[in-house]
Amino acid sequence: MRWRWHLTKQALLLAAMVVVAGSAAMQSHARADEVAAEKPLPSAIEAALIMKEIVPEAPVYIRVFKEESELEVWKARPNGRYALVKTFPVCNWGGTLGPKRVMGDSMSPEGFYRVTPEGLKPDSKYHLAFNIGYPNALDRALGRTGNYIMVHGDCRSVGCFAMSDKYIEEIYAFVRDALNAGEPSIPIHVFPFRMTAENMKRHAGNEARDTWKPLREAFDDFARTREPPKIGMCGKRYVVNALTPVGNDPYADCPAVIGKRIAPLSPRSSKRLVKADPRLEAQGPKLKSAEASFGWTSPISGAMFAWGTGGNTPSTRPGKPSQNESDAALGALQPIVKR
């Protein structure tokens, strides 16, 4: 009996040693991730931002393109326009083109999302991660299910957007610094592809094409203004850059008329616009030329204000850029930092 008890004690001791070793390894891994989460932006990126007069804590805008497997990081310049800082390759994403609909479909979502401070995951088992906020209010209103959709490291994905560990450290630092500087959230807009006319034509037969209308609108607006599109929800649909105030309740009725806001005007010009037409609600909008069922010509620079009904978004036709909408004013077309 004594030798059996001795062997049992040895087995218990060995098991305890294994548990302790495993716990130590897990703690070491957690500490490594915590250190990674605190890494500053690489000095080369910080230097490039300084050269463009962009502070590291400036607001961030992220775009993801599924077909191209690319993630872009844009940052605000002093003039309010955003410049492309860097384009990162996405290792993996889930499913095919089109929105995520149900939990377990292995699809990566498409749409308009936001990263909040609560969404940062410095202790992720995929090195580092942040939650993009799927499902948003519209997804839930449309019956879409699923959760914990992340941008993370480790290059493995089932519905998330997986990056290399090196790149997630950089992307995480961009997001962390902007949130720590006081930004309440970081917009992250996920597109099926770069929504050029050629690509839209190439995918015209895709069954998801009806879900891409607001994404195409946001893509086109940003190409013209270099300002992240303002996204609202009503009538169980997205509303992009609405002139009439639109909230974020997908169950709310849409306003009877929805205009198109492109770029903000000065406070003085805003007051003149509201005086000319109270429907503008002091939003201070400046609109690109547009075609709609009816329009109204502004006394300011002859701008055309397009109004669509609550059920329809006015079709738009970009006008020629003004002098202050040159590439230099809008922001860099090429990334400031090469990958």
Side-chain angles (χ1 to χ4, degrees), residues 29-30 32-38 119-124 127-129 172:
H29 176 73
D33 283 346
E34 288 174 3
V35 171
E38 297 168 3
L120 295 178
K121 292 287 292 178
D123 58 346
S124 170
H127 191 53
L128 293 173
Y172 189 96

Side-chain angles (χ1 to χ4, degrees), residues 1 13 40 53 85 114 161 165 170 192 209 232 235 246 257 309 337:
M1 286 293 291
L13 180 61
E53 299 181 340
V85 179
R114 287 190 168 272
F161 298 99
D165 288 353
E170 294 182 21
R209 63 186 180 278
V246 174
V257 291
T309 66
V337 181

Side-chain angles (χ1 to χ4, degrees), residues 310-326:
N312 297 286
T313 301
S315 60
T316 56
R317 181 188 68 244
K320 292 182 179 179
S322 62
Q323 186 175 359
N324 67 353
E325 288 179 320
S326 65

Side-chain angles (χ1 to χ4, degrees), residues 128-321:
L128 293 173
F130 54 83
N131 194 319
I132 72 170
Y134 173 91
N136 62 24
L138 181 60
D139 291 320
R140 291 192 294 270
L142 296 176
R144 296 171 182 168
T145 58
N147 50 29
Y148 302 115
I149 303 298
M150 308 276 180
V151 175
H152 61 66
D154 203 35
C155 269
R156 293 181 295 163
S157 172
V158 181
C160 294
F161 298 99
M163 317 297 297
S164 71
D165 288 353
K166 174 187 175 182
Y167 287 147
I168 190 60
E169 289 181 1
E170 294 182 21
I171 299 165
Y172 189 96
F174 277 116
V175 173
R176 177 203 63 213
D177 289 351
L179 292 174
N180 287 345
E183 289 296 306
S185 61
I186 305 300
I188 176 167
H189 296 173
V190 184
F191 300 86
F193 45 81
R194 297 188 183 277
M195 308 196 79
T196 62
E198 294 78 11
N199 284 341
M200 292 297 293
K201 183 177 181 180
R202 184 163 55 87
H203 290 289
N206 193 294
E207 62 181 12
R209 63 186 180 278
D210 289 341
T211 69
W212 293 341
K213 292 178 181 178
L215 289 165
R216 172 72 187 277
E217 191 176 357
F219 181 87
D220 288 346
D221 286 357
F222 184 70
R224 180 173 175 81
T225 68
R226 296 295 187 275
E227 292 182 333
K230 307 299 182 185
I231 308 300
M233 301 175 191
C234 63
K236 290 190 177 182
R237 66 185 180 92
Y238 289 120
V239 180
V240 180
N241 285 328
L243 175 60
T244 305
V246 174
N248 289 294
D249 181 359
Y251 294 101
D253 293 333
C254 290
V257 291
I258 298 178
K260 182 72 173 171
R261 184 188 69 82
I262 292 298
L265 292 178
S266 67
R268 183 179 179 182
S269 296
S270 298
K271 291 180 180 178
R272 292 174 64 188
L273 288 171
V274 174
K275 185 176 181 180
D277 189 332
R279 294 179 298 176
L280 300 184
E281 298 289 339
Q283 295 299 301
K286 176 183 178 183
L287 306 185
K288 63 186 176 182
S289 298
E291 294 176 339
S293 57
F294 62 98
W296 175 76
T297 302
S298 163
I300 311 297
S301 303
M304 174 65 78
F305 286 75
W307 295 95
T309 66
N312 297 286
T313 301
S315 60
T316 56
R317 181 188 68 244
K320 292 182 179 179

